Amino acid sequence: MDIPKQYDPKQAELHHYERWEKSGYFAPEVNKDPNAPVFTIVIPPPNVTGSLHMGHALQHTIMDVLTRYKRMSGFRTLWLPGTDHAGISTQLMVTRALKKEGKSRHDLGREKFVERVWQWKAESGGQITVQMRREGASVDWSREKFTMDEDLSRAVREVFVRLYEEGMIYRGNRIVNWCPQDQTVLSDLEVDKLPQAGKLYYLQYPVKGSQERITVATTRPETMLGDTAVAVNPNDERYKDLLGATLLLPLTDREIPVIADEFVDPSFGTGAVKVTPAHDPNDYEMGLRHNLPQVVVIDQFAKMTSDAGDRFAGLDRYQAREKVIEEFGHLDLLEKIVDYEFSISKCERCKTVIEPLISTQWFMNMEHLRDLALELIFKQQKPQFVPEVPYERVYTNWLENLRDWTISRQLWWGHQIPAWYTNDGKVIVARTEVEAREKAGTDELTQDQDVLDTWFSSALWPFSTLGWPNKTEDLKTFYPSSVLVTARDIIFLWVSRMVMMGAKFMGREPFADVFVTGTILDSQGQRMSKTKMNGVDPLDVFDKFGVDATRLTLAQVGSTDIRWNEKQVESYRNFANKIWNAARFCMLNSEGGEVNAELLASTESSTATWARDHSTADEDLCAAGTSLHDRWIISRLNRTALDVHAALSGYQFHEAVQTMYHFFWDDFCDWYIELSKADVTAEIPGARRNVVRSRMLTVLEQALRLLHPFMPYITEELWQRLPGVGKACLHPAYAHAEPSIMLAAYPAGDPRLVDEQVESEMQAIIDLISRVRNIRSEMNIKPSERIPVLIGAPDERLRRVYKTATDQIARLVRAADVTITEQLNAPRASARAVLTGGAELAVPLEGLIDFEQERQRLRREKDKLQTEAAKLEAQLQNPNFVERAPAERVAEVRDRIADIAQRTSQFQQTLENLQ
Ligand SMILES: [Zn+2]
């Protein structure tokens, strides 16, 4: 058997993915069972401008684990990939590239600019799809989609037209969030509300025909030029007499009324507020209620308009602020300026302060769609959020407070709004220009210049990617999908909108479950970000530790937030090496053996069956079939498979990883291989050796299958080399396919093969061997020294268990002999330990060690431990430490002190025994 000493992840990663992709095994068509259950995931489409970051790597790992697990379990699986055209991001990227050539997008014009974006996409877009291949993502590339593909664009227009015809999409003149830098409107979700240390300015407005003044407080004094009223709360006694009065608006020649509105909070500032309907969303609403004029004093570049007055027109909004304050000062109308912390709205992308502006845009009324989504979750619990707390609540709260969605954007890159205008201003909404002409009865049409918010097309992703509005076979088969795996920050932007659109156009939820992943923070607990340069590049981690080790680390993140720790990946790299070395041992000792599932089918009769089928009459065969450790590993394997199934069904990825890790490393490598070694490496070939070799190979093969969804590369690399693997290992749905572990049947686990008694018997032996090994190391017994082991076990059954395993115990602890009696009968100078089930263990030390030397050593060790304990105790006495150190550090210290106390008393006991 030719197998390299070292595992080379890069070689396996390169080789196997290409083969898998070419084979077509990622596509659902590989499953030939017409009754196979269906499992679907649609990928959250990464931006076409994007490159892989840790968040993607985490999501993709989880989606791939689920997809591979379901595929191996016989499901018809589809994991559908694709990318998003990412309106603003992409447009900015190409705009920046143009700038380097000294050009602006306006120099090119719309058509040429959009061509240029497509060209950019063809050449350098979708970098991430190359990187996904490295991750091992088993997506069906033959169904890859892009949100601006012709068929997806058609779905976008169809939805727009239908919602328009039903009155849910409308064009209106309303106050919106405007980014003066990006020159586009933004939805509420694209705006960050950030705390800002600013000032609150108290301005006085004179009352007409009186010496009185009314004071208003504002953070944006420059907007006073657009004030059209001052409002007070109708119940505010302070202002009762002023209601209905007229104010002289300073710096202008306008007069404005004092009005009463319940909205005014009497406790804010002076209780009187200036009302600027054109530049503040709340004032806008108030203006509508009171029929106030809207005076626009700031334009789309955040500069003052001519309506702000000649002295201000053309000034930037912040220059205007200075000037307004200065002039109020000169007029003696500035009461005071105080420091004030408030929240300011900034563009999520460029961080420019948002200017609320009145503008003509397209909006979507969400009431009906919102009700559909709420009905789904309240009446049918769909979708099911995992973890349910807090995400279900976050989601429903948001839906309940939903406002109209601004869907138009002043960009060139995106889905142009399917609305046309006739020369006399009529609006025609249609699927195509041809249809628009027919509807309008004229060819003289101009299409709306705006495009749709990127999230409009993303909202249709679960069904537009499957061919909607056509009634395709894919749509019938794969909608709704099984689970959506996503990050928590797009529950509103994306998840809720998919649910609403799915409910509206497909009549049901787009996915059954929503698994919300955790966040990977940097080692300091900070969010990874491009600007902070604290991100970890998954590709670097792949290079350093291999994809499989990285995937295992990511899978166990699951839905928790963790700090990135390379040590964890390193430990899984060591696990990969452990797997390789164990498999290498099995293969180097595999002559005459082969993978044969029958050997694991039952704990008693399998060997007999095997012997009959192979017409052998080896007398040792029965013994080979009934060894305790064989029955034990079969029980452990089945229990592990059952546990992993349960964990994966409940999206408990951490559980699943830990269960498999423990099984492979502890049960299989540390115990099963060790206990089988003598039989497996026996020099004399024969049926018995063949059986034990085959059984070991078969357990290994099952373990590789269990691990495959998490560690696809190393498992395939090893599986392909195992003697005896082939079509028989494949799930029946893939019987026609070429052998690959990705199509092997996932071990389901058989509860009838879990044997509690066998496990507890084996545990007793493991416990015994571990204790003796501890004694050997604690007492400094030379590894070459063979020791006597005395066991006293009052329980008869336990004595029998030990007796059956005497040879193995002797071998694994290097014992000269193992004596088992009912009562322990050991000389005073013995190291002792208590075992499970009331048994006792002793290793007589006479002749093994130099007592005097050992006593000295023990005293030194004891002194050292006591010094350490004293230091730790002092630390605990220090209130500074106890209060300030992290709780887990304090707990660590306490544990260590308890541990020292126990070891000290052990040393003391041994010292007495050595007198
Ligand atoms: Zn911006």
Side-chain angles (χ1 to χ4, degrees):
M1 182 60 54
D2 182 30
I3 169 165
K5 265 193 137 139
Q6 292 279 332
Y7 175 47
D8 177 3
K10 279 202 189 108
Q11 185 271 337
E13 288 158 19
L14 217 74
H15 173 66
H16 292 300
Y17 196 87
E18 211 184 293
R19 200 173 53 86
W20 289 329
E21 189 179 343
K22 276 196 189 131
S23 69
Y25 294 165
F26 292 159
E29 286 75 19
V30 68
N31 191 313
K32 299 293 185 208
D33 174 6
N35 301 314
V38 174
F39 181 82
T40 316
I41 297 185
V42 290
I43 201 169
N47 287 352
V48 66
T49 51
S51 64
L52 197 71
H53 59 57
M54 271 298 170
H56 296 126
L58 167 60
Q59 288 182 11
H60 297 168
T61 296
I62 289 189
M63 286 185 264
D64 198 42
V65 164
L66 290 170
T67 304
R68 286 180 183 270
Y69 160 64
K70 291 292 184 179
R71 188 184 293 117
M72 290 173 78
S73 302
F75 284 64
R76 180 181 311 284
T77 43
L78 169 62
W79 179 13
L80 191 145
T83 45
D84 192 286
H85 66 281
I88 295 184
S89 304
T90 314
Q91 174 156 334
L92 281 179
M93 175 166 291
V94 177
T95 307
R96 271 197 294 269
L98 279 177
K99 205 170 170 187
K100 283 191 190 136
E101 301 166 18
K103 281 188 250 171
S104 83
R105 67 185 163 109
H106 299 283
D107 294 337
L108 265 72
R110 183 171 190 143
E111 202 174 318
K112 284 266 176 286
F113 178 80
V114 170
E115 255 174 44
R116 177 75 186 244
V117 183
W118 278 108
Q119 190 192 336
W120 171 85
K121 184 201 174 253
E123 285 162 10
S124 29
Q127 177 66 23
I128 198 162
T129 59
V130 178
Q131 297 166 331
M132 279 180 65
R133 286 170 162 89
R134 177 84 192 275
E135 291 179 297
S138 64
V139 297
D140 180 4
W141 292 111
S142 72
R143 283 175 168 85
E144 185 182 358
K145 297 292 179 193
F146 178 56
T147 45
M148 295 249 293
D149 283 346
E150 183 40 44
D151 45 346
L152 274 72
S153 301
R154 195 182 142 213
V156 164
R157 293 193 299 270
E158 184 67 30
V159 165
F160 189 95
V161 171
R162 287 201 206 170
L163 291 180
Y164 177 79
E165 284 170 354
E166 290 185 42
M168 279 185 252
I169 283 181
Y170 64 93
R171 189 162 179 259
N173 196 37
R174 306 211 352 207
I175 197 151
V176 296
N177 304 304
W178 182 267
C179 176
Q181 171 66 33
D182 293 334
Q183 284 296 300
T184 181
V185 65
L186 300 171
S187 74
D188 291 347
L189 290 173
E190 293 163 296
V191 171
D192 289 335
K193 288 214 186 307
L194 303 167
Q196 163 115 349
K199 307 250 184 252
L200 193 59
Y201 302 87
Y202 286 74
L203 309 179
Q204 296 178 340
Y205 294 175
V207 179
K208 189 181 180 184
S210 145
Q211 289 306 304
E212 262 185 280
R213 294 166 174 186
I214 199 163
T215 306
V216 292
T218 178
T219 58
R220 301 196 57 197
E222 68 280 12
T223 61
M224 62 76 49
L225 297 166
D227 282 1
T228 52
V230 163
V232 297
N233 191 291
N235 303 316
D236 194 335
E237 293 298 328
R238 291 173 293 179
Y239 298 107
K240 272 255 145 76
D241 296 344
L242 283 173
L243 274 182
T246 301
L247 305 174
L248 300 169
L249 186 66
L251 316 188
T252 72
D253 50 13
R254 288 193 288 120
E255 297 182 353
I256 60 173
V258 178
I259 59 168
D261 194 289
E262 297 276 355
F263 177 83
V264 178
D265 174 7
S267 65
F268 172 80
T270 60
V273 298
K274 58 194 274 315
V275 185
T276 325
H279 296 289
D280 179 279
N282 293 322
D283 293 4
Y284 174 80
E285 300 290 338
M286 201 187 291
L288 292 183
R289 284 197 292 276
H290 298 273
N291 232 337
L292 298 174
Q294 300 167 343
V295 178
V296 175
V297 292
I298 303 174
D299 69 12
Q300 54 176 343
F301 299 100
K303 289 203 163 35
M304 308 310 285
T305 66
S306 57
D307 280 351
D310 293 346
R311 306 200 300 294
F312 297 96
L315 288 184
D316 169 82
R317 55 186 164 175
Y318 298 114
Q319 287 173 327
R321 179 174 302 176
E322 298 297 314
K323 197 168 165 70
V324 163
I325 290 309
E326 196 185 301
E327 298 208 5
F328 265 77
H330 290 154
L331 295 170
D332 198 23
L333 293 174
L334 181 63
E335 191 172 302
K336 61 178 172 179
I337 304 174
V338 297
D339 289 334
Y340 184 62
E341 174 142 338
F342 60 105
S343 90
I344 196 161
S345 298
K346 290 188 177 175
C347 171
E348 166 194 67
R349 210 167 319 271
C350 73
K351 309 301 171 202
T352 301
V353 175
I354 290 299
E355 190 56 53
L357 283 186
I358 292 181
S359 159
T360 302
Q361 302 288 345
W362 289 90
F363 299 92
M364 193 188 294
N365 180 302
M366 306 303 286
E367 272 173 38
H368 169 63
L369 295 169
R370 181 256 319 273
D371 290 347
L372 291 177
L374 284 175
E375 200 176 296
L376 270 180
I377 191 125
F378 287 143
K379 292 202 177 140
Q380 301 179 43
Q381 269 82 52
K382 282 172 181 171
Q384 180 82 48
F385 282 88
V386 183
E388 192 175 351
V389 178
Y391 299 115
E392 183 178 316
R393 186 127 198 95
V394 164
Y395 168 81
T396 51
N397 274 352
W398 185 75
L399 279 178
E400 280 162 355
N401 294 300
L402 198 53
R403 299 201 300 176
D404 287 6
W405 175 14
T406 315
I407 52 174
S408 45
R409 293 290 179 276
Q410 287 64 54
L411 300 174
W412 286 353
W413 175 244
H415 298 104
Q416 195 168 351
I417 290 180
W420 285 262
Y421 305 100
T422 60
N423 288 338
D424 51 359
K426 243 175 80 191
V427 182
I428 312 289
V429 168
R431 289 163 185 83
T432 61
E433 185 153 7
V434 176
E435 190 186 304
R437 283 183 189 148
E438 274 168 25
K439 281 187 177 174
T442 167
D443 288 358
E444 302 279 294
L445 292 175
T446 329
Q447 187 169 1
D448 194 297
Q449 291 300 296
D450 289 353
V451 300
L452 287 165
D453 181 0
T454 301
W455 294 99
F456 191 100
S457 51
S458 327
L460 318 180
W461 186 249
F463 52 88
S464 64
T465 50
L466 295 173
W468 188 92
N470 292 343
K471 293 189 170 70
T472 61
E473 205 46 42
D474 267 12
L475 198 60
K476 215 168 82 189
T477 312
F478 299 111
Y479 188 95
S481 64
S482 313
V483 56
L484 178 79
V485 176
T486 186
R488 69 174 77 103
D489 50 357
I490 51 176
I491 290 181
F492 308 143
L493 273 171
W494 192 46
V495 178
S496 67
R497 287 170 180 165
M498 284 191 287
V499 176
M500 290 187 269
M501 292 301 190
K504 172 74 183 162
F505 292 99
M506 294 296 296
R508 60 179 304 187
E509 75 287 354
F511 23 74
D513 299 343
V514 176
F515 180 77
V516 184
T517 59
T519 308
I520 299 175
L521 307 166
D522 74 0
S523 56
Q524 308 301 311
Q526 301 288 313
R527 267 191 101 91
M528 291 186 181
S529 88
K530 260 191 211 158
T531 41
K532 275 191 246 158
M533 306 273 283
N534 64 343
V536 175
D537 186 345
L539 297 165
D540 292 343
V541 187
F542 292 165
D543 285 343
K544 199 162 168 193
F545 299 107
V547 171
D548 286 334
T550 315
R551 285 172 58 116
L552 213 49
T553 311
L554 293 170
Q556 68 157 19
V557 171
S559 57
T560 56
D561 286 358
I562 62 135
R563 293 180 181 201
W564 182 251
N565 180 359
E566 217 176 74
K567 285 259 175 299
Q568 182 70 75
V569 200
E570 194 181 336
S571 85
Y572 284 135
R573 195 263 322 268
N574 298 344
F575 181 51
N577 290 338
K578 183 87 179 172
I579 296 171
W580 186 264
N581 293 336
R584 189 165 179 272
F585 170 81
C586 296
M587 286 186 237
L588 291 176
N589 294 288
S590 64
E591 197 194 308
E594 60 175 19
V595 170
N596 179 352
E598 270 175 42
L599 291 171
L600 306 181
S602 93
T603 53
E604 296 295 338
S605 61
S606 58
T607 313
T609 319
W610 190 89
R612 198 184 55 235
D613 290 356
H614 293 73
S615 20
T616 165
D618 194 312
E619 283 176 10
D620 287 337
L621 268 178
C622 280
T626 52
S627 289
L628 177 63
H629 63 268
D630 288 327
R631 286 181 281 145
W632 171 75
I633 199 70
I634 291 172
S635 177
R636 290 293 310 151
L637 175 66
N638 282 282
R639 188 191 289 276
T640 301
L642 288 164
D643 288 351
V644 169
H645 267 289
L648 288 179
S649 316
Y651 302 103
Q652 302 294 313
F653 300 96
H654 180 87
E655 281 304 301
V657 170
Q658 290 306 311
T659 304
M660 293 185 306
Y661 182 90
H662 172 71
F663 173 77
F664 200 93
W665 195 300
D666 302 343
D667 296 347
F668 183 65
C669 297
D670 284 359
W671 292 107
Y672 187 68
I673 291 185
E674 288 306 314
L675 290 163
S676 313
K677 219 168 213 169
D679 291 338
V680 167
T681 57
E683 297 218 345
I684 307 152
R688 175 175 175 180
R689 196 184 71 176
N690 293 349
V691 172
V692 291
R693 286 184 165 187
S694 297
R695 188 181 289 110
M696 192 165 69
L697 285 167
T698 311
V699 174
L700 170 68
E701 196 263 348
Q702 293 282 314
L704 292 178
R705 291 194 208 183
L706 279 173
L707 286 163
H708 176 75
F710 296 84
M711 308 178 85
Y713 290 118
I714 191 173
T715 50
E716 179 78 309
E717 179 72 22
L718 288 169
W719 191 84
Q720 295 287 351
R721 294 166 185 268
L722 290 180
V725 297
K727 286 187 188 274
C729 299
L730 301 185
H731 189 283
Y734 313 116
H736 61 286
E738 285 305 308
S740 161
I741 193 171
M742 66 168 280
L743 301 179
Y746 203 71
D750 182 348
R752 288 166 305 178
L753 294 177
V754 174
D755 189 329
E756 300 287 349
Q757 188 180 330
V758 161
E759 288 197 27
S760 93
E761 288 177 6
M762 187 65 205
Q763 195 52 49
I765 291 170
I766 288 174
D767 197 31
L768 169 70
I769 294 172
S770 310
R771 296 288 168 143
V772 179
R773 284 175 170 172
N774 272 351
I775 289 174
R776 287 196 76 116
S777 88
E778 293 237 314
M779 300 309 299
N780 244 354
I781 299 169
K782 273 190 240 130
S784 60
E785 200 81 66
R786 291 201 168 265
I787 55 170
V789 172
L790 307 177
I791 302 164
D795 182 68
E796 197 256 318
R797 190 180 59 84
L798 203 51
R799 278 204 301 283
R800 206 180 54 235
V801 171
Y802 290 140
K803 270 187 187 139
T804 331
T806 306
D807 287 353
Q808 281 159 328
I809 294 168
R811 192 165 51 81
L812 293 188
V813 304
R814 298 189 68 76
D817 49 35
V818 179
T819 313
I820 302 160
T821 49
E822 198 171 338
Q823 294 302 324
L824 188 64
N825 183 14
R828 184 177 149 83
S830 295
R832 291 158 194 270
V834 176
L835 299 171
T836 36
E840 281 179 286
L841 156 77
V843 176
L845 297 169
E846 189 71 57
L848 282 178
I849 52 174
D850 179 329
F851 281 17
E852 180 45 38
Q853 217 180 343
E854 190 55 23
R855 275 198 297 269
Q856 283 176 13
R857 186 186 70 88
L858 284 170
R859 275 191 214 104
R860 275 198 310 273
E861 292 276 327
K862 209 177 96 183
D863 288 349
K864 229 163 61 189
L865 284 177
Q866 279 169 337
T867 316
E868 191 191 339
K871 266 191 205 151
L872 293 174
E873 292 283 2
Q875 218 172 4
L876 281 187
Q877 296 303 317
N878 179 355
N880 267 343
F881 171 75
V882 181
E883 278 161 32
R884 289 193 198 150
E888 61 262 42
R889 173 74 193 124
V890 177
E892 247 172 51
V893 170
R894 295 216 159 94
D895 288 351
R896 178 69 186 149
I897 291 174
D899 184 42
I900 290 175
Q902 205 212 339
R903 294 193 58 197
T904 313
S905 97
Q906 263 172 19
F907 282 155
Q908 188 56 39
Q909 183 65 49
T910 316
L911 271 169
E912 280 164 24
N913 290 344
L914 292 182
Q915 293 306 321

